Amino acid sequence: MLNFIFCVHNHQPIGNFEDVLESAYRQAYEPFIEVLDRFPQFRFCLHISGPLLEYISRTHSKYISRVRKMVQDNRVEILGGGFYEPIFTAITDDDKVGQITLFSEYLEELFGKKPRGIWLAERVWEQSLVRPLAQAGVEYTIIDDFHFKTAGFLSKELQGYFITEDQGKTLFLFPIPEKLRYEIPFKEPQETINYLQQQGHSQDPNKVVCYADDGEKFGLWPKTFEHCYDNKWLERFFQALTEAKNEVKTITFSDAIDSQKPIAKAYIPSGSYREMAEWVLSPDAHMVYEGYKKHQPEHTEFTLNPGGFWRNFLVKYPEINIMYSKMLEISRRIKTFTTRLSKRDKEILETARRDLYRAQGNCAYWHGIFGGFYLPHLRHTIYHYLLSAEETLSKLKPTKKTTIDISDFDYDGSSEVRYSNGLINCYFKPQKGAGLYEFDIIPKKFNPLATIRRRQESYHIKILQAQAINAVKNIATIH
């Protein structure tokens, strides 16, 4: 018998167009739940990010009621996370705890149960996350087997969950097999069932295999609505799992934690999923990496070269670093206010804090197949909320009419100059001809310089190659 955890992560970025949200709901989120409703014995795990959940709660209360009923019937486990889906390694520990706590309270109010685990945005992991996550009451999170393989683990050692530690605080980690991420829903259902049955052929009744990936794969990715619903892939998959119930048992993450011990202790190097580790590389480094991959054995157990490091998106795209630096500046300013505030001032401070959290939504802070840094409405949304928070904070501590500050505002080792007068902020780089690189119009909550320059991307070559061989005829993966 194999214990199988099936987890779906639904996310739309803060600032996305409502017609996009509605289309995603109609094509992926709603039909997925409708199919699941026909299989009451199937248990699964679900994460819906805060911005998307706020939209669905406002526009589709029936969906919320259906999921709440599934939670009450112990069919589904809801995962928490950062309310506005931040990359946790890019925000302060106080903001990590604040985002998680705020979302946990919201989920408990909405579904009647407090989440025990979280979805880690883009599975960006650093060992230092353990302490603040534990402080926020998180018991577990999910990362890829790719993370574990960079630490030297073998595939056969990853059929369960692990415990990790930092400064005496502990956290449980569940690995996601990359094989399942690529095969579901693109291979025939029986192939996945056969794989799970093979993993369960042993004397160990506590084996656990976890699948966790984007819910948009089930209807929103190109051609997947026809594949999953018109051609009934999803229904056939759940039916095949139901028929294999004597060999494959569906459980939740909490079931696994409550019924068995972690299989080992593990310390995991910094990383994300494999594709993200490639996207962060410069075009030249990516070419070298591609050449390296061609000489690797197809089914290598170890990941000897894990690719790049997520934080280097701040290096690859200086425009992201400017946004990131502004976000940290607002976070620091919020932290300077003491708790000895009047009720009115506390409410003002919480309004600013909520806008800061919105401005930490991850999609505009990186770029890949899914990353939204190239999308102007997502970049401008970040600045909108940063400047909204700044304007709100001025009600607590009015600023002088005109100030000129010299500091290393973007953490590049050189000082910049900022001119502020309460209505605008102008940031200049003296070392680059005194160029104006940020121009905040505070009342309008708008930075017209939130633009990006043209640059070569490593995937440009892949697109040309795919077009040349007409590679998009069949369902594959979005990559």
Side-chain angles (χ1 to χ4, degrees):
M1 173 68 74
L2 177 78
N3 296 301
F4 179 48
I5 301 173
F6 186 87
C7 178
V8 171
H9 155 67
N10 297 335
H11 169 62
Q12 293 295 323
I14 184 82
N16 212 354
F17 300 122
E18 288 212 349
D19 61 324
V20 175
L21 301 182
E22 185 62 22
S23 177
Y25 175 81
R26 296 294 182 190
Q27 294 184 63
Y29 313 136
E30 182 183 45
F32 182 89
I33 288 294
E34 287 180 349
V35 172
L36 264 178
D37 243 355
R38 299 199 288 271
F39 296 88
Q41 293 182 327
F42 184 83
R43 304 183 68 217
F44 70 107
C45 299
L46 177 65
H47 174 257
I48 308 172
S49 67
L52 176 60
L53 194 54
E54 286 182 317
Y55 172 78
I56 295 176
S57 298
R58 190 175 75 250
T59 58
H60 299 289
S61 58
K62 184 179 177 182
Y63 178 95
I64 300 299
S65 298
R66 293 175 83 170
V67 174
R68 185 189 300 118
K69 181 68 165 56
M70 289 179 171
V71 173
Q72 292 170 348
D73 293 344
N74 203 30
R75 289 182 57 197
V76 61
E77 176 176 1
I78 298 292
L79 276 70
F83 200 119
Y84 294 98
E85 198 77 354
I87 299 293
F88 282 125
T89 61
I91 65 176
T92 68
D93 284 357
D94 286 343
D95 291 344
K96 293 179 183 70
V97 174
Q99 287 246 18
I100 293 169
T101 302
L102 186 67
F103 198 35
S104 292
E105 292 171 351
Y106 181 67
L107 291 170
E108 187 173 15
E109 179 183 340
L110 209 57
F111 298 116
K113 202 165 189 179
K114 185 177 180 180
R116 296 173 60 179
I118 66 165
W119 181 268
L120 194 65
E122 303 306 326
R123 276 107 69 196
V124 177
W125 170 262
E126 294 179 21
Q127 192 66 28
S128 59
L129 287 177
V130 174
R131 195 166 185 270
L133 296 191
Q135 185 182 344
V138 176
E139 293 183 45
Y140 71 83
T141 190
I142 322 158
I143 57 178
D144 291 57
D145 62 353
F146 179 73
H147 293 74
F148 283 87
K149 289 181 178 181
T150 62
F153 285 86
L154 302 176
S155 295
K156 66 181 181 181
E157 299 173 318
L158 301 180
Q159 295 173 340
Y161 71 98
F162 295 76
I163 187 168
T164 191
E165 171 275 336
D166 183 56
Q167 301 180 60
K169 301 294 183 180
T170 58
L171 184 74
F172 298 130
L173 298 176
F174 286 83
I176 310 166
E178 188 178 85
K179 176 182 175 65
L180 291 183
R181 277 207 308 116
Y182 272 80
E183 291 189 354
I184 296 175
F186 304 108
K187 298 285 188 180
E188 277 300 300
Q190 193 57 47
E191 292 190 42
T192 298
I193 302 303
N194 292 343
Y195 169 78
L196 294 174
Q197 290 171 331
Q198 290 168 7
Q199 304 308 303
H201 285 165
S202 74
Q203 300 301 313
D204 183 1
N206 295 321
K207 277 191 172 184
V208 177
V209 171
C210 156
Y211 166 83
D213 209 358
D214 300 339
E216 292 76 24
K217 294 169 71 171
F218 303 99
L220 193 60
W221 285 15
K223 300 184 181 181
T224 55
F225 183 86
E226 296 86 347
H227 179 61
C228 289
Y229 304 110
D230 293 344
N231 298 332
K232 300 185 181 301
W233 184 96
L234 194 62
E235 184 173 341
R236 289 187 288 114
F237 177 68
F238 292 146
Q239 184 62 45
L241 272 174
T242 302
E243 292 170 359
K245 63 183 180 181
N246 292 330
E247 296 174 271
V248 180
K249 179 183 179 183
T250 58
I251 65 170
T252 65
F253 294 111
S254 290
D255 289 337
I257 292 170
D258 292 342
S259 63
Q260 60 194 76
K261 298 289 186 183
I263 57 177
K265 193 176 191 178
Y267 292 93
I268 306 299
S270 299
S272 180
Y273 50 84
R274 184 186 300 272
E275 299 91 343
M276 181 72 83
E278 297 176 7
W279 295 332
V280 73
L281 296 172
S282 69
D284 288 344
H286 192 272
M287 293 290 287
V288 173
Y289 183 82
E290 286 289 306
Y292 162 81
K293 284 202 304 182
K294 289 177 182 177
H295 292 90
Q296 267 196 315
E298 186 176 352
H299 300 294
T300 180
E301 278 288 355
F302 292 108
T303 301
L304 301 178
N305 186 340
F309 179 46
W310 186 89
R311 290 183 189 240
N312 279 323
F313 278 113
L314 306 177
V315 179
K316 184 177 183 181
Y317 304 108
E319 302 95 329
I320 293 178
N321 185 55
I322 293 170
M323 239 175 8
Y324 162 81
S325 304
K326 180 76 174 182
M327 179 270 293
L328 290 183
E329 178 188 335
I330 299 299
S331 180
R332 280 197 309 273
R333 286 183 59 185
I334 288 175
K335 195 174 180 180
T336 61
F337 290 93
T338 67
T339 56
R340 294 191 296 273
L341 297 172
S342 67
K343 181 179 179 181
R344 171 188 171 276
D345 287 351
K346 285 182 180 178
E347 289 174 353
I348 291 173
L349 185 62
E350 287 311 307
T351 298
R353 196 190 311 276
R354 179 64 77 103
D355 280 341
L356 168 68
Y357 289 168
R358 291 185 174 107
Q360 292 173 338
N362 79 81
C363 292
Y365 288 93
W366 59 277
H367 176 63
I369 287 177
F370 310 102
F373 163 64
Y374 270 44
L375 299 177
H377 63 288
L378 298 189
R379 296 196 307 274
H380 289 306
T381 295
I382 299 298
Y383 278 105
H384 171 89
Y385 286 115
L386 288 175
L387 296 176
S388 178
E390 184 171 3
E391 186 177 48
T392 301
L393 290 174
S394 68
K395 297 175 184 177
L396 296 176
K397 187 178 180 181
T399 56
K400 297 177 183 178
K401 281 193 174 182
T402 300
T403 60
I404 296 177
D405 302 295
I406 300 174
S407 183
D408 184 7
F409 290 105
D410 62 357
Y411 314 111
D412 68 348
S414 299
S415 292
E416 289 79 37
V417 177
R418 178 180 63 193
Y419 168 86
S420 300
N421 65 11
L423 297 176
I424 63 171
N425 301 317
C426 299
Y427 292 78
F428 300 91
K429 281 189 172 293
Q431 66 274 22
K432 293 187 178 180
L436 176 66
Y437 69 89
E438 181 177 337
F439 177 41
D440 302 328
I441 307 172
I442 298 172
K444 298 295 184 183
K445 304 175 182 61
F446 184 62
N447 169 22
L449 296 187
T451 57
I452 61 175
R453 66 177 178 84
R454 291 182 63 185
R455 47 172 54 86
Q456 181 185 359
E457 296 287 359
S458 55
Y459 56 75
H460 290 162
I461 296 173
K462 287 188 175 183
I463 291 172
L464 293 173
Q465 290 172 341
Q467 289 175 337
I469 61 174
N470 199 16
V472 293
K473 280 185 177 180
N474 302 312
I475 291 287
T477 78
I478 199 168
H479 307 287

